Amino acid sequence: MTVEQVAVGRPLPELHGLTKQFYAALGEGRLDFQRCTTCQRWQFPPREMCPRCTTETLAWEASPQTGVVFTYTVVHRPLHPAFAAVPYVVVGVQFDSGPRLMGRLIGVSVDEVEIGMPIRLATRIDSDGVPQIEFERTSR
């Protein structure tokens, strides 16, 4: 995973509680998801208990940073000035560990994106110090 500094005036996530832990790991170059210590299920978004077995014994574990595109959309009309450079692609990614996450696809033209495309996480740190979730194509 590459982590680089960029200047972006984008809306920021609220960094508190479990969300803060998730973004702190991203800022250190890791993709950490919660994993139930009882049934071993990975989960995202972070929660206080496992939805499968209802235990509250969850641990943060590093996940593989690779997966595949399971859905995508091409944005032609930005909803915020920070995202004015259109068109761009937002992808839903199924990670090899199981959880799903959405983010912007970089380095791939709108015509090249496809369901099943192998990707990897490519996090950038914005000017406010908050990681920006992006993905780039990779080979398997």
Side-chain angles (χ1 to χ4, degrees), residues 33-95:
F33 290 125
Q34 285 180 314
R35 192 167 190 182
C36 178
T37 59
T38 302
C39 71
Q40 300 303 304
R41 180 184 184 274
W42 293 88
Q43 69 179 20
F44 187 83
R47 292 171 271 228
E48 297 294 333
M49 72 178 207
C50 176
R52 178 185 289 159
C53 70
T54 67
T55 186
E56 295 178 6
T57 56
L58 303 166
W60 289 95
E61 290 187 24
S63 167
Q65 297 180 11
T66 57
V68 296
V69 172
F70 74 88
T71 191
Y72 69 92
T73 189
V74 178
V75 178
H76 294 279
R77 295 179 63 187
L79 298 176
H80 187 277
F83 307 111
V86 292
Y88 62 89
V89 179
V90 175
V91 293
V93 173
Q94 174 84 48
F95 283 95

Side-chain angles (χ1 to χ4, degrees), residues 3 6 8-9 11 14 29 34 38 67 84 87 97 112 114 116 122:
V3 178
V6 294
V8 181
E14 293 184 25
Q34 285 180 314
T38 302
S97 57
E112 294 176 311
E114 58 187 24

Side-chain angles (χ1 to χ4, degrees), residues 2 8 18-19 23 27 29 38 41 50 64-65 68 75 84 88-89 97 104 108 112 119 121 124 128 130-131 139:
T2 57
V8 181
L18 298 172
T19 301
Y23 277 92
T38 302
R41 180 184 184 274
C50 176
Q65 297 180 11
V68 296
V75 178
Y88 62 89
V89 179
S97 57
R104 188 173 185 164
V108 177
E112 294 176 311
I119 60 84
L121 183 67
R124 296 189 303 164
D128 291 311
V130 178
S139 58

